[in-house]
Amino acid sequence: MKLVDPIMKIVRKNLTIRHRRALRIILAHLFPWNLNQLAVIYGSDKWGGHYYTGHYHEHFRKLRYKKLKILEIGVGGYDDPHYGGASLRMWKRYFPNSMIYAIDIYDKSPLQEHRIKIFQGSQADEDFLKKVSAEAGPFDIIIDDGSHVVEHVLTSFKTLFPLMKEDGIYVVEDIETSYFSSYGGNSKRLDDPKTSMNFLKQLTDCLNYQKFLLPNYIPNFYDENIVSMHFYHNLVILHKGHNPQTSYPPKPVD
């Protein structure tokens, strides 16, 4: 980061857009494995603004060279059709054999390029999400960096998580909006079941549903399809898979 940060500051200040793009390509070829560096090179706030890339690398590094279908909710740049897409280009470089898809409420089609396809629509529209999944999915990785409105976050998760690949990874960024009333969150009642954070926290019980002392309990979809959940600062990462119904053998006591 000591080398790339000052270089990119000079680039943004002194070079034309065309020359910036050319230099980004050169730098990205020098650091294709380093997600922190790639975020800086492409101008993504997933490093620096939020510091998510270190966590992403831990969860994604073994998948880098696989042929994946990756969906990011939210392109960035608001209503400017030519602005945004920094993280899409970052993912494209980090996953050299994968197809990168995105959705945004605004028309971002000018930002499309080889291995990047963008759909226009709302993440709160279930029919639209199902249409995207049917056309481009099933997805291996989904990253919600959209509106961050609680209702939208939950609609996207409830719609898309069941449609993912069985061993998929679903990410919710900027979960801090769960505490902001302007986004439908709640800081006064931290156990409010309607917030995105509390919805996700309640899902942690799914990991242990076999131990519920409820003789007639019928496991739900999340019980049977969430194998791990990771909570970081403003970030939640869920791994989908088959949650076995048999008990694990006890480990020997030292």
Side-chain angles (χ1 to χ4, degrees):
M1 303 303 292
K2 293 180 180 179
L3 173 64
V4 173
D5 276 328
I7 290 177
M8 294 312 298
K9 288 179 181 178
I10 295 172
V11 166
R12 285 189 287 268
K13 185 176 181 180
N14 298 294
L15 298 186
T16 64
I17 293 177
R18 181 179 178 183
H19 288 106
R20 289 179 200 173
R21 290 174 178 171
L23 186 55
R24 282 193 178 106
I25 292 173
I26 294 172
L27 290 173
H29 275 88
L30 295 176
F31 304 100
W33 66 91
N34 190 317
L35 198 50
N36 294 345
Q37 300 278 27
L38 290 177
V40 174
I41 291 168
Y42 287 107
S44 171
D45 66 357
K46 296 186 192 309
W47 172 263
H50 297 291
Y51 301 105
Y52 296 152
T53 47
H55 302 306
Y56 279 139
H57 182 65
E58 288 299 313
H59 289 268
F60 295 164
R61 59 183 175 179
K62 294 181 180 180
L63 306 174
R64 280 199 62 211
Y65 295 103
K66 292 189 175 183
K67 296 180 68 173
L68 307 176
K69 293 182 177 182
I70 300 168
L71 174 68
E72 178 146 26
I73 300 172
V75 174
Y78 299 99
D79 60 348
D80 186 339
H82 299 280
Y83 182 61
S87 61
L88 303 183
R89 293 185 284 273
M90 177 190 75
W91 294 130
K92 176 182 173 179
R93 176 60 58 185
Y94 187 74
F95 293 102
N97 301 313
S98 295
M99 185 68 191
I100 313 300
Y101 297 93
I103 64 174
D104 199 280
I105 197 168
Y106 298 110
D107 177 17
K108 294 291 181 175
S109 56
L111 298 175
Q112 294 184 135
E113 57 186 63
H114 176 59
R115 290 200 294 117
I116 294 179
K117 180 176 177 58
I118 304 172
F119 298 90
Q120 182 180 4
S122 171
Q123 72 170 114
D125 183 339
E126 293 182 34
D127 292 335
F128 166 70
L129 296 176
K130 291 177 181 177
K131 181 179 179 181
V132 171
S133 181
E135 180 177 337
F139 299 109
D140 299 276
I141 297 173
I142 297 176
I143 300 164
D144 184 350
D145 188 17
S147 72
H148 309 305
V149 173
V150 167
E151 181 181 357
H152 299 175
V153 171
L154 296 182
T155 296
S156 297
F157 178 80
K158 292 176 181 178
T159 304
L160 291 173
F161 185 78
L163 301 176
M164 294 185 73
K165 289 280 187 70
E166 181 178 334
D167 57 350
I169 301 175
Y170 195 103
V171 182
V172 180
E173 290 189 354
D174 299 344
I175 196 69
E176 72 272 17
T177 59
S178 183
Y179 307 109
F180 303 163
S181 58
S182 58
Y183 285 79
N186 194 336
S187 285
K188 295 180 179 179
R189 182 185 171 190
L190 296 180
D191 62 347
D192 184 350
K194 296 181 180 180
T195 70
S196 46
M197 175 59 89
N198 279 302
F199 173 82
L200 294 171
K201 284 194 293 187
Q202 290 171 5
L203 292 183
T204 59
D205 289 320
C206 298
L207 301 171
N208 302 301
Y209 80 90
Q210 303 95 335
K211 304 302 182 181
F212 296 170
L213 300 180
L214 302 171
N216 298 316
Y217 181 77
I218 299 175
N220 60 40
F221 176 84
Y222 298 121
D223 290 334
E224 297 182 326
N225 289 277
I226 295 178
V227 293
S228 70
M229 298 180 67
H230 306 260
F231 290 78
Y232 304 101
H233 181 63
N234 299 339
L235 183 73
V236 182
I237 300 178
L238 301 92
H239 287 250
K240 185 179 179 183
H242 180 64
N243 190 347
Q245 299 188 29
T246 56
S247 298
Y248 292 98
K251 292 183 179 180
V253 178
D254 294 330

mmCIF file of all heavy atoms in Angstrom, residues 3 22 26 36 49 55 59 69 74 85 101 114 140 159 170 195 217 223 247:
data_model
loop_
_atom_site.group_PDB
_atom_site.id
_atom_site.type_symbol
_atom_site.label_atom_id
_atom_site.label_comp_id
_atom_site.label_asym_id
_atom_site.label_seq_id
_atom_site.Cartn_x
_atom_site.Cartn_y
_atom_site.Cartn_z
ATOM 1 N N LEU A 3 3.375 1.926 -1.756
ATOM 2 C CA LEU A 3 3.721 2.309 -3.110
ATOM 3 C C LEU A 3 2.497 2.750 -3.899
ATOM 4 O O LEU A 3 2.513 3.776 -4.574
ATOM 5 C CB LEU A 3 4.402 1.136 -3.828
ATOM 6 C CG LEU A 3 4.674 1.330 -5.330
ATOM 7 C CD1 LEU A 3 5.655 2.474 -5.527
ATOM 8 C CD2 LEU A 3 5.213 0.037 -5.924
ATOM 9 N N ALA A 22 -5.210 3.284 -18.413
ATOM 10 C CA ALA A 22 -4.051 2.527 -18.880
ATOM 11 C C ALA A 22 -3.108 2.198 -17.725
ATOM 12 O O ALA A 22 -2.604 1.071 -17.611
ATOM 13 C CB ALA A 22 -3.311 3.330 -19.953
ATOM 14 N N ILE A 26 -1.888 -1.525 -15.866
ATOM 15 C CA ILE A 26 -0.489 -1.907 -15.602
ATOM 16 C C ILE A 26 -0.306 -2.273 -14.127
ATOM 17 O O ILE A 26 0.271 -3.308 -13.796
ATOM 18 C CB ILE A 26 0.459 -0.758 -15.998
ATOM 19 C CG1 ILE A 26 0.418 -0.527 -17.504
ATOM 20 C CG2 ILE A 26 1.887 -1.066 -15.529
ATOM 21 C CD1 ILE A 26 1.177 0.703 -17.957
ATOM 22 N N ASN A 36 -6.335 -5.734 -1.403
ATOM 23 C CA ASN A 36 -6.200 -4.381 -0.854
ATOM 24 C C ASN A 36 -5.641 -3.425 -1.904
ATOM 25 O O ASN A 36 -6.144 -2.310 -2.084
ATOM 26 C CB ASN A 36 -5.283 -4.384 0.368
ATOM 27 C CG ASN A 36 -5.851 -5.149 1.545
ATOM 28 O OD1 ASN A 36 -7.038 -5.456 1.580
ATOM 29 N ND2 ASN A 36 -5.008 -5.463 2.505
ATOM 30 N N GLY A 49 -12.066 3.059 2.801
ATOM 31 C CA GLY A 49 -13.340 3.532 3.332
ATOM 32 C C GLY A 49 -13.920 2.583 4.366
ATOM 33 O O GLY A 49 -14.456 3.004 5.391
ATOM 34 N N HIS A 55 -10.946 -9.190 4.814
ATOM 35 C CA HIS A 55 -11.893 -10.265 5.115
ATOM 36 C C HIS A 55 -12.284 -11.012 3.840
ATOM 37 O O HIS A 55 -12.390 -12.242 3.829
ATOM 38 C CB HIS A 55 -13.141 -9.706 5.788
ATOM 39 C CG HIS A 55 -12.865 -8.963 7.058
ATOM 40 N ND1 HIS A 55 -12.145 -9.527 8.102
ATOM 41 C CD2 HIS A 55 -13.215 -7.713 7.466
ATOM 42 C CE1 HIS A 55 -12.062 -8.639 9.091
ATOM 43 N NE2 HIS A 55 -12.701 -7.551 8.728
ATOM 44 N N HIS A 59 -11.920 -15.180 2.740
ATOM 45 C CA HIS A 59 -13.041 -16.033 2.346
ATOM 46 C C HIS A 59 -13.004 -16.427 0.866
ATOM 47 O O HIS A 59 -13.573 -17.450 0.492
ATOM 48 C CB HIS A 59 -14.361 -15.322 2.651
ATOM 49 C CG HIS A 59 -14.670 -15.224 4.102
ATOM 50 N ND1 HIS A 59 -15.422 -16.164 4.779
ATOM 51 C CD2 HIS A 59 -14.314 -14.299 5.032
ATOM 52 C CE1 HIS A 59 -15.529 -15.814 6.059
ATOM 53 N NE2 HIS A 59 -14.863 -14.695 6.234
ATOM 54 N N LYS A 69 -19.801 -17.260 -10.972
ATOM 55 C CA LYS A 69 -20.756 -16.210 -11.319
ATOM 56 C C LYS A 69 -20.937 -15.356 -10.068
ATOM 57 O O LYS A 69 -21.424 -15.847 -9.053
ATOM 58 C CB LYS A 69 -22.083 -16.800 -11.762
ATOM 59 C CG LYS A 69 -22.000 -17.572 -13.079
ATOM 60 C CD LYS A 69 -23.357 -18.099 -13.490
ATOM 61 C CE LYS A 69 -23.288 -18.800 -14.833
ATOM 62 N NZ LYS A 69 -24.625 -19.287 -15.263
ATOM 63 N N GLY A 74 -25.604 -3.038 -6.486
ATOM 64 C CA GLY A 74 -25.113 -1.664 -6.383
ATOM 65 C C GLY A 74 -23.846 -1.466 -7.187
ATOM 66 O O GLY A 74 -22.866 -2.189 -6.995
ATOM 67 N N GLY A 85 -18.737 1.526 -10.677
ATOM 68 C CA GLY A 85 -18.185 0.277 -11.187
ATOM 69 C C GLY A 85 -16.786 -0.050 -10.725
ATOM 70 O O GLY A 85 -16.167 -1.006 -11.220
ATOM 71 N N TYR A 101 -21.403 -9.886 -12.498
ATOM 72 C CA TYR A 101 -22.702 -9.281 -12.783
ATOM 73 C C TYR A 101 -22.996 -8.233 -11.709
ATOM 74 O O TYR A 101 -22.446 -8.271 -10.608
ATOM 75 C CB TYR A 101 -23.808 -10.337 -12.764
ATOM 76 C CG TYR A 101 -23.671 -11.402 -13.815
ATOM 77 C CD1 TYR A 101 -23.021 -12.604 -13.536
ATOM 78 C CD2 TYR A 101 -24.203 -11.224 -15.093
ATOM 79 C CE1 TYR A 101 -22.893 -13.597 -14.502
ATOM 80 C CE2 TYR A 101 -24.080 -12.208 -16.058
ATOM 81 C CZ TYR A 101 -23.425 -13.391 -15.757
ATOM 82 O OH TYR A 101 -23.303 -14.361 -16.724
ATOM 83 N N HIS A 114 -16.019 -6.465 -21.137
ATOM 84 C CA HIS A 114 -15.817 -7.914 -21.176
ATOM 85 C C HIS A 114 -15.825 -8.485 -19.757
ATOM 86 O O HIS A 114 -15.107 -8.011 -18.886
ATOM 87 C CB HIS A 114 -14.485 -8.235 -21.854
ATOM 88 C CG HIS A 114 -14.145 -9.691 -21.862
ATOM 89 N ND1 HIS A 114 -14.953 -10.646 -22.446
ATOM 90 C CD2 HIS A 114 -13.076 -10.361 -21.344
ATOM 91 C CE1 HIS A 114 -14.407 -11.828 -22.299
ATOM 92 N NE2 HIS A 114 -13.267 -11.687 -21.626
ATOM 93 N N ASP A 140 -22.512 -17.861 -7.456
ATOM 94 C CA ASP A 140 -21.619 -18.454 -6.459
ATOM 95 C C ASP A 140 -21.357 -17.482 -5.317
ATOM 96 O O ASP A 140 -21.186 -17.901 -4.171
ATOM 97 C CB ASP A 140 -20.283 -18.822 -7.111
ATOM 98 C CG ASP A 140 -20.441 -19.837 -8.224
ATOM 99 O OD1 ASP A 140 -20.483 -21.036 -7.916
ATOM 100 O OD2 ASP A 140 -20.533 -19.422 -9.395
ATOM 101 N N THR A 159 -34.783 -13.319 -1.109
ATOM 102 C CA THR A 159 -35.052 -13.736 -2.484
ATOM 103 C C THR A 159 -33.870 -14.469 -3.101
ATOM 104 O O THR A 159 -34.035 -15.528 -3.722
ATOM 105 C CB THR A 159 -35.394 -12.513 -3.363
ATOM 106 O OG1 THR A 159 -36.498 -11.812 -2.794
ATOM 107 C CG2 THR A 159 -35.760 -12.958 -4.773
ATOM 108 N N TYR A 170 -22.783 -15.427 0.601
ATOM 109 C CA TYR A 170 -23.608 -14.221 0.533
ATOM 110 C C TYR A 170 -23.039 -13.199 1.514
ATOM 111 O O TYR A 170 -22.765 -13.517 2.670
ATOM 112 C CB TYR A 170 -25.057 -14.535 0.893
ATOM 113 C CG TYR A 170 -26.044 -13.449 0.505
ATOM 114 C CD1 TYR A 170 -26.853 -13.598 -0.621
ATOM 115 C CD2 TYR A 170 -26.175 -12.282 1.256
ATOM 116 C CE1 TYR A 170 -27.759 -12.612 -0.993
ATOM 117 C CE2 TYR A 170 -27.066 -11.292 0.875
ATOM 118 C CZ TYR A 170 -27.865 -11.465 -0.243
ATOM 119 O OH TYR A 170 -28.754 -10.479 -0.607
ATOM 120 N N THR A 195 -34.876 -5.232 12.130
ATOM 121 C CA THR A 195 -33.649 -4.705 11.531
ATOM 122 C C THR A 195 -32.859 -5.820 10.853
ATOM 123 O O THR A 195 -32.996 -7.000 11.191
ATOM 124 C CB THR A 195 -32.760 -4.023 12.579
ATOM 125 O OG1 THR A 195 -32.210 -5.019 13.453
ATOM 126 C CG2 THR A 195 -33.540 -2.992 13.377
ATOM 127 N N TYR A 217 -40.035 -30.028 16.305
ATOM 128 C CA TYR A 217 -39.485 -28.931 15.510
ATOM 129 C C TYR A 217 -39.168 -29.402 14.087
ATOM 130 O O TYR A 217 -38.553 -30.454 13.881
ATOM 131 C CB TYR A 217 -38.207 -28.386 16.146
ATOM 132 C CG TYR A 217 -37.604 -27.240 15.376
ATOM 133 C CD1 TYR A 217 -38.161 -25.969 15.461
ATOM 134 C CD2 TYR A 217 -36.501 -27.436 14.550
ATOM 135 C CE1 TYR A 217 -37.631 -24.903 14.751
ATOM 136 C CE2 TYR A 217 -35.957 -26.376 13.834
ATOM 137 C CZ TYR A 217 -36.526 -25.115 13.942
ATOM 138 O OH TYR A 217 -35.992 -24.071 13.227
ATOM 139 N N ASP A 223 -32.149 -23.249 8.420
ATOM 140 C CA ASP A 223 -31.573 -24.286 9.285
ATOM 141 C C ASP A 223 -30.729 -25.252 8.467
ATOM 142 O O ASP A 223 -29.617 -25.624 8.858
ATOM 143 C CB ASP A 223 -32.677 -25.083 9.988
ATOM 144 C CG ASP A 223 -33.424 -24.292 11.045
ATOM 145 O OD1 ASP A 223 -32.840 -23.347 11.595
ATOM 146 O OD2 ASP A 223 -34.595 -24.617 11.311
ATOM 147 N N SER A 247 -25.292 -35.583 14.632
ATOM 148 C CA SER A 247 -24.456 -34.918 15.629
ATOM 149 C C SER A 247 -22.983 -35.171 15.336
ATOM 150 O O SER A 247 -22.599 -36.248 14.876
ATOM 151 C CB SER A 247 -24.794 -35.443 17.031
ATOM 152 O OG SER A 247 -26.139 -35.163 17.347
#
